[in-house]
Amino acid sequence: MDEPNNTQKHGFDLGAFVGDLTFEEDSGSDDVSLEGLQQELEECESDEVVANILCNGAKLRDYAKGVENNLRKVELESIQDYIKESDNLVSLHDQIRDCDNILSQMESLLSGFQEEIGSISSDIKILQEKSMDMGLRLKNRRVAESRLAKFVEDIIIPPKMIDVIVDGEVNEDYMRTLEILSKKLKFTEMDHVVKSSKALKDVEPELEKLRQKAISKVYDFIVQKLIALRKPKTNIQILQQSVLLKYKYIISFLKEHGKEVFMNVRAAYVDTMNKVLSAHFRAYIQALEKLQLDIAASNDLIGIETRSTGLFSIVREPLKNRSAVFALGERISILKEIDQPALIPHIVEASSIKYPYEVLFRSLHKLLMDTATSEYIFCDDFFGEESIFYEIFAGPFGVMDEHFNLVLSNCYDAIGLMLMICIIHHHQLVMARRRIPCLDSYLDKVNLSLWPRFKMVFDLHLSSLRNANVKTLWEDDVHPHYVMRRYAEFTASLIHLNVEYGDGQLDLNLERLRVAMDDVILKLAKLFPKPKQQIVFLINNYDMTIAVLKEAGADGGKIQMHFEELLKSNTLLFVEELLVEHFSDLIKFVKTRASSEDSSSNRARSIITVGEVEAVVKDFGSRWKAAIEMMHKDIITSFSNFLCGMEILRAALTQLLLYYTRLTDCIKNLDGGSALNKDLVSISSIMFEIRKYSKTF
């Protein structure tokens, strides 16, 4: 008993216990495998039932038999319970059978309902199809009704419309009625189905009568308005904008439904405006011609002698300065005022002011641009076409061409021609900014007419220089020659005007003119008997030319540089001439003897004697101040430009100082030369004298 108790307390040896189990009946079965049994038993170790069974020490087979007995006992008890409840089970069976009968009846009833529902569904489907068919018919009838209503509306002629077209005044209400009539006419013309309808056959004659009546009425109305354009002193632009444009639909109506009448109206307008504008421009040109100031005639050329007058010379307005023919001067202001309104002739004429032709040219073309712009926009808006403009302006263009060709053939004003070229160029830019192309061909034609004329006049100036009679032109005066001044002003003017235009061909022509002028001025200089006068003459002319080129505010470029080089070279020549004139012994000695000394030749040194040098030194010391004063007076009287003269005097004194310095250097190297120191003029004394004259620069 101790051992079992001990086992209950301390557990049991499962391996040892299981080791006693034997399965003799099943030992030979192939299906039974004891593999893993040990693991399964170990897993069941925690099971309370299994543990209790094993702890009680009962054999597994006995335990199984006990279980079997218990099951049999339970089975018998269950049978007894069923026997006790047999009456209840019979009652339950009867109830189930009754329920089954009831459910069978319900099934039959529901089957009937299902059949009825199916029949109703087919009826609903039929009704749905009928409804869709009716809806489609209704939609088609509505579409037909709307189309029929529109057809009736488009083809019917309301009595009010007939009254307005036949008896009404042409006004805004009449315009709206015309639009309605136009829609009806278009409707009957476009739809081939409508053309074949009986309704149209009834209405068409009436529509045609209304169309003809409307065309007749608006034609008479618009012709009356066009006649108003011909009345004197009529402001055409105001009449066009405030009256004609209000009725522009008349033109559209005529273009669509009365082509022949439209062409008549168009022709009437073209004829009216052609004559009116031609008359206006002709009158304006005649008024401007009274304001013209003639600038240049055929003999107003650079190389023509001013004192000669031809037998048939034209009497012109007196000019303040004869050189104004060649100088730009205040004429450049026309380019600054180029966008100003056109001149009003009767106002200007009252002030007795006359203008160069380029002023009238600008005014005339300003009026042309403004008129053409207004007419071009109106024609495009009123008639819906641009080509009519060129038919209208054929007359005004003809008037302008006739006038301009006459003026151009008698124009010898190269400056004026160049100004007109610049004006046309600016006007082309203005029209381009306005995006109005109607004057492109005309302005191009004017420009192409101006350039050949300018070239012809320019070549006349060039030929006048090439063929100039220098003996006739020569004057015994070293101051700037009037031909050179003409050339300088003419060249400066053209360079200034060409800055904006940038014509390369003009630069080449100016170079040709410069070569011709160089030849003329050199020939004129050679007519002076003394070389010094020749040089002074050239310096004065070159200096004046450079000054004019600079004053014009233009970049003289190569031409200015050319004359600056000539001025520099001739200034050096004049300085030498001036020094030789007043210090001939000093210059001769320094150039011949002092240069030999510089060669360090023993033979040269033996030739120079103290006596020879002493004569030069004493001569210089005795009169150098007086000679410088004479040089100053000579320069003041010889040169027109004071500043240029002072620069030349300073250059001469500087060169004199260099010559005298070379003389003193020669004396220092001369044997016995120290004896001449008492007669030498100090360099500081000469510098003081130079500074004295420098104060006047």
Side-chain angles (χ1 to χ4, degrees), residues 110-126:
L110 291 175
S111 296
F113 285 160
Q114 185 177 7
E115 291 175 359
E116 291 178 1
I117 290 172
S119 176
I120 293 171
S121 176
S122 63
D123 292 341
I124 291 173
K125 186 175 182 182
I126 292 171

Side-chain angles (χ1 to χ4, degrees), residues 251-354:
I251 302 302
S252 300
F253 180 83
L254 292 176
K255 188 183 291 187
E256 293 177 346
H257 306 294
K259 191 69 176 179
E260 184 177 348
V261 176
F262 166 75
M263 295 305 295
N264 291 337
V265 171
R266 185 182 185 277
Y269 181 80
V270 169
D271 181 66
T272 297
M273 291 304 297
N274 188 309
K275 292 178 179 178
V276 169
L277 292 178
S278 297
H280 282 189
F281 276 100
R282 187 175 287 106
Y284 189 73
I285 288 171
Q286 291 173 353
L288 289 181
E289 288 174 347
K290 298 177 182 178
L291 306 176
Q292 183 174 348
L293 174 65
D294 292 327
I295 295 294
S298 59
N299 61 340
D300 288 320
L301 302 173
I302 295 175
I304 297 296
E305 206 276 317
T306 55
R307 292 168 296 186
S308 63
T309 56
L311 182 61
F312 302 102
S313 59
I314 301 174
V315 178
R316 288 163 293 146
E317 295 290 335
L319 300 176
K320 293 181 179 179
N321 188 347
R322 196 76 186 92
S323 64
V325 176
F326 310 97
L328 186 59
E330 294 300 321
R331 298 174 73 180
I332 188 64
S333 62
I334 190 63
L335 297 181
K336 300 175 183 177
E337 303 167 358
I338 197 165
D339 293 321
Q340 294 296 315
L343 295 176
I344 302 175
H346 66 273
I347 295 178
V348 178
E349 191 175 359
S351 62
S352 300
I353 300 176
K354 292 189 178 296

Side-chain angles (χ1 to χ4, degrees), residues 331 334-335 338 357-363 365-366 369 416-430 443 450 501:
R331 298 174 73 180
I334 190 63
L335 297 181
I338 197 165
Y357 182 72
E358 67 269 9
V359 176
L360 310 181
F361 178 85
R362 181 212 70 86
S363 182
H365 283 81
K366 173 65 174 174
M369 283 198 308
L417 288 168
M418 194 64 194
L419 282 169
M420 285 187 275
I421 290 172
C422 294
I423 290 169
I424 284 293
H425 177 65
H426 180 81
H427 284 171
Q428 287 175 320
L429 296 178
V430 170
L443 294 176
L450 286 169
Y501 198 83

Side-chain angles (χ1 to χ4, degrees), residues 449-482:
S449 299
L450 286 169
W451 273 112
R453 184 66 188 182
F454 172 80
K455 180 65 166 54
M456 189 274 287
V457 175
F458 187 93
D459 288 343
L460 288 177
H461 285 287
L462 181 61
S463 298
S464 71
L465 289 176
R466 289 176 174 176
N467 303 324
N469 186 343
V470 293
K471 292 183 179 180
T472 305
L473 294 175
W474 185 77
E475 296 176 347
D476 189 13
D477 186 358
V478 295
H479 290 88
H481 197 277
Y482 63 85

